[in-house]
Amino acid sequence: MVSESDIKHQVREFYDHIGWQEASNGFYQNASYEDLRPVAHDYIHNCHLRVMRHLNPTGHLLLDAGSGPIQYPEYLVYSKGYQHRVCADISIVALQEARKRIGHHGLFIVCDVANLPFKSNTFDGMVSLHTIHHLPPDEHIRAYQELYRTLASSGKGVIVNGWDNPPLTIFMNFWIGLVERLYVLFLAQPKVVDRGKESSPADNQTTSRSTYVRKHNAAWLHKEVGSLMPVKIWCWRSLSVRFLRTFIHERFAGRWLLKILYWKEERFPHFLGKYGQYPLIALSKYK
Ligand SMILES: C[S@@+](CC[C@H](N)C(=O)[O-])C[C@H]1O[C@@H](n2cnc3c(N)ncnc32)[C@H](O)[C@@H]1O
C-alpha cells in the first residue's frame, strides 16, 4: 500500500524531473497533454478565458494553487488586475519557472494545497487548475476546504479538474475506438494516442511519463463538497483531448466544428459541465 506522503513525494519528483522539464519547441513535457495544434488554438484559448468570468477582475492577492510554471499565456490574464499572484506548488521547479514569467508580480511558496499556510479569508481570487486530482484521495475534500477557507468573504475562485469517465467521454470513446480500429484495419499501425489529462491511470500506478491521478464524478462533488460549501458547476471544456486529436482536423472543417462545440458549451454550460470531460467549479462565499 502506498502512503499519502509517498504519493506526494512521487508527484513532486515527477514534476521536478519530468513534467516541468522542457520537452520540445519550448514546451514543457506537461503540455503534451494539451491540444496545441493551430486548428484547436482559438477554441482552447477561449476555453482558458472562461475562468475570468468567475473571478473578481481586480484585487490584492490571487492564489494560484498548484500553479505549475503558469505555462499558458491565458493564465497570466487571471491575475492581471491583482497586486500579486501567490503561486503555491509542491514542485520547486514549477515555482522557479513561474518566477521567470511573472517576477515581482508573484509570491512563490512551496506548500501543499491540502495544508495551506495562509490565514483564513486572505485571497480576493483563487484558481486551482488540474491539481487536486494529484492528491491522495483522502485529502481531496480537505483541499477544497482549504481553498474555501483562505478565500476572502468577497472572494471568488475557480477549480478545474477532469471528471472520472463522464458520460459524454464514455460515449465519445466508443466512436474513437471505432475510428482507431478502422485505421488499423485499413491504413496502418495504430497511432500512439496521448490520452493526456483525461486519462485515469489506475490508482497508485505511475509510469515514467505520468504520475498519480485520482478523479471523481459530479455526484461525488455534490455529495462530499457541496454539503460543505456552495459549489456551482460550469463547463470548462466538454470533450477530451483524445477526442479533439481524433476528430478535429484542419482539412475536415475542424475550426468550424470547434466553433459549434464552443457555442453548444455556452448554451448548455451546466449540463456539459456536469456530463462532459472538464467542469469549471466556481466557488464564492457570498451569494
Ligand atoms: C497538472 S499540473 C497543473 C499546473 C497548472 N495549474 C496548469 O494548469 O498548467 C499540477 C501541478 O500541481 C502541483 N501539485 C501536485 N500536488 C500538489 C499538492 N499537494 N500541493 C501543491 N501543489 C501540488 C504539481 O507540482 C504541478 O505543478
Side-chain angles (χ1 to χ4, degrees):
M1 175 131 169
V2 183
S3 74
E4 293 181 355
S5 62
D6 285 344
I7 290 174
K8 287 184 189 170
H9 179 74
Q10 274 176 16
V11 170
R12 189 179 56 222
E13 290 286 303
F14 173 80
Y15 278 103
D16 278 351
H17 299 294
I18 298 175
W20 301 132
Q21 296 299 324
E22 188 179 321
S24 63
N25 299 337
F27 289 107
Y28 298 106
Q29 183 272 348
N30 182 261
S32 63
Y33 301 139
E34 182 55 281
D35 189 347
L36 298 172
R37 296 170 306 153
V39 66
H41 175 272
D42 290 358
Y43 171 72
I44 302 283
H45 171 80
N46 290 331
C47 292
H48 279 308
L49 294 184
R50 281 182 170 141
V51 169
M52 287 302 287
R53 298 177 192 166
H54 306 276
L55 294 177
N56 290 322
T58 57
H60 181 213
L61 297 175
L62 177 125
L63 172 66
D64 187 345
S67 65
I70 319 178
Q71 63 179 325
Y72 300 121
E74 296 86 356
Y75 286 3
L76 296 170
V77 180
Y78 306 156
S79 60
K80 225 173 170 178
Y82 286 73
Q83 267 169 278
H84 292 289
R85 182 180 191 125
V86 178
C87 296
D89 204 294
I90 47 166
S91 157
I92 181 91
V93 175
L95 297 177
Q96 286 165 341
E97 293 293 302
R99 186 162 55 186
K100 287 184 198 160
R101 275 201 179 78
I102 61 170
H104 294 307
H105 178 54
L107 303 165
F108 306 93
I109 297 159
V110 176
C111 65
D112 176 6
V113 172
N115 299 282
L116 290 173
F118 309 116
K119 281 194 196 152
S120 301
N121 305 318
T122 299
F123 298 103
D124 302 312
M126 176 276 290
V127 291
S128 180
L129 310 174
H130 312 290
T131 294
I132 292 180
H133 62 208
H134 285 315
L135 269 65
D138 289 352
E139 297 193 17
H140 289 204
I141 296 172
R142 188 169 162 76
Y144 278 93
Q145 285 177 310
E146 283 292 88
L147 294 172
Y148 190 64
R149 175 184 70 77
T150 53
L151 202 57
S153 52
S154 58
K156 288 174 158 191
V158 167
I159 298 173
V160 174
N161 283 283
W163 293 133
D164 181 29
N165 276 325
L168 193 61
T169 300
I170 294 173
F171 177 72
M172 293 304 182
N173 281 351
F174 169 80
W175 297 105
I176 294 170
L178 200 68
V179 168
E180 285 175 357
R181 278 197 292 280
L182 290 174
Y183 186 83
V184 173
L185 267 180
F186 296 111
L187 291 170
Q189 293 297 308
K191 265 196 304 190
V192 177
V193 178
D194 185 350
R195 296 177 185 194
K197 276 177 177 151
E198 74 272 17
S199 70
S200 292
D203 293 354
N204 299 328
Q205 286 187 5
T206 60
T207 70
S208 62
R209 309 308 289 170
S210 69
T211 187
Y212 180 86
V213 169
R214 174 65 197 268
K215 297 176 181 182
H216 299 283
N217 56 26
W220 177 89
L221 186 90
H222 277 303
K223 181 165 176 271
E224 303 293 341
V225 182
S227 57
L228 302 170
M229 64 193 79
V231 287
K232 191 122 195 155
I233 298 175
W234 297 80
C235 180
W236 186 67
R237 268 158 56 180
S238 60
L239 294 173
S240 64
V241 172
R242 187 181 174 208
F243 174 92
L244 299 184
R245 288 184 183 161
T246 306
F247 288 109
I248 299 296
H249 296 282
E250 205 82 68
R251 62 186 181 284
F252 300 129
R255 284 176 200 257
W256 282 101
L257 292 173
L258 289 179
K259 275 189 206 300
I260 295 169
L261 175 64
Y262 185 79
W263 175 75
K264 285 273 175 214
E265 291 170 347
E266 294 289 290
R267 273 284 286 111
F268 307 105
H270 300 302
F271 179 84
L272 290 172
K274 198 167 165 190
Y275 299 111
Q277 183 59 58
Y278 296 106
L280 181 160
I281 297 157
L283 284 190
S284 74
K285 285 187 173 166
Y286 67 98
K287 301 276 176 224

